[in-house]
Amino acid sequence: MSAAQAHEDAIRLAKMGYKQEFKRGFTLIHNFGVSFSHISILIGVGTLLSYALVAGGPAGAVMGWIIVSFLSLMVALSMAEICSAYPTAGGLYYWCAKLGGEKWGPISAWYTGWINLSGEIGGLGSAAFGVSTMLWSIVVVWYPDTEITLVKLTLVAEAVLFLSGILNSITDEVVAHITEFSVFIHLAGTLFIIVVLLVKAPSLQSASFVFTQFENRTGQDSQGFAVLLGLLFPAWTYLGYDASAHVSEETQNSHTEAAKGIILSVAISIIAGFALLLGCLFAIQDIDEVLGAPYPQVIMQIFVDAGGPGWATAVMTVVATASMCCNVAVITANSRMMYAFARDAGFGHTVSKFLYWSHPTTKLPLRTVWLGTSVGMLLTCAGFGSSVALSAFASIGTIGLMTAYIIPVMVKVFLARDTFKQGPINLGLLSLPVNVVAIVWVCFLFFLLCLPSSYPVNATNLNYAPIMVVFVFAFVTGYWVLSAHKWFKGPIVHVTEEELAAMEVDEKKPEGFGA
């Protein structure tokens, strides 16, 4: 990156109130890669396909993927437009603060910041647990008598989180290289898996099975409701594309590249994920055998039936490797969001002052890297005692992120429709209709995520998401009413007018001037 371009990025950030504190070493491939890795179609399809087979069946999964993909793209486009105008690490809560103005900005930023944070933390444990089930599934393929306990699964998940924290603590170049590798393994790995499944499978299912066979194994009588529940399969997959905003202060030309990263991460996930879904569905040998599989990750049964133990191990290794990259990306995005929130005193002045720190050499926000990692490991410890607790944390991860995604869009539509100044990446005349579709979809999804997903409902399969949502909202509301409303005013300006003026003067100097 040229010195002139770096200076332009720094001035653009300074006009939003912040100093350039991170290294701007990321290009579009890295910005896109962090969000693409966070979405991770391999961990999404790999861990959630069995749910779709129960709620909707093959045809329900295909139909759901197409519908939810379109709706998720509407959310991504809505977010990208705002990100282009405000490319900061704070992302969603900063957007709310600016769009909401003096009256509504602080409170909307407060709720969005904490809800975004709860979603990121909730997702950390579930992603790590996914890697653990994949690795133990490989063990069971070769050692069928191995007893897989919740304790064993949790211990490996803890190790995955710890390693992800380590990889986020070395240098930004390491994060960049992992992101590059992640893009490769997600795309090349998806192609590899599809080829193995279609070539090695003893027989392939008919198009009728894939595109017209619906299933309802949810325990309730309505096929339509089962298909509706099946929409959660792709909805759970399309999460994490706000990561492009959170690493925008490390991205060159962030006013265009961060928005592109959001859009591309969803668009490419739609295409690659649909291809992977079809490959898995056509390769199913026996749907009852898949749903009754002895593996912690039941999709392993599809891989074993198609290619035998050797090929199944190779395929699952690809999925687990990509999923490990997903964990690294989640911590990367989460740490930047917490760093930005601390920069604006979102944790209270004392705690925020401690967290608002980056390593003097690497410029990495190590304290927030390890805060996120540690909290994720602490919540994952619940797995030692209850899989229900882990499921609850995963649910709040989904609800937290989707709610945080749509609040700034709603603030833009209802409060800043006439005052919002679009950035270079914008929707033009389509902005309002796209925003409205996104808002309606997320509101509907919010209620869908709170419904029971299997029947009859008991203590084991109860959807604890509504309880977790109430807890989060009660905490955030209580904190605001009792204390935060007195001191949290949204983004804090860290650049004086004199400093900004001096930067703009330097920008206008001809090259070599004063040398």
Side-chain angles (χ1 to χ4, degrees), residues 172-227:
D172 60 324
E173 288 86 358
V174 170
V175 176
H177 290 319
I178 291 174
T179 303
E180 292 165 1
F181 174 74
S182 179
V183 172
F184 169 78
I185 197 70
H186 274 91
L187 293 177
T190 296
L191 179 61
F192 171 72
I193 293 169
I194 294 170
V195 170
V196 168
L197 291 177
L198 298 184
V199 171
K200 301 298 294 184
S203 62
L204 296 178
Q205 292 288 349
S206 65
S208 175
F209 171 84
V210 173
F211 296 109
T212 66
Q213 181 166 320
F214 291 92
E215 297 278 350
N216 178 17
R217 304 180 186 222
T218 60
Q220 52 80 42
D221 296 330
S222 172
Q223 177 67 70
F225 186 62
V227 173

Side-chain angles (χ1 to χ4, degrees), residues 81-95:
E81 181 178 47
I82 305 175
C83 183
S84 182
Y86 307 116
T88 65
L92 311 168
Y93 85 83
Y94 181 94
W95 303 346

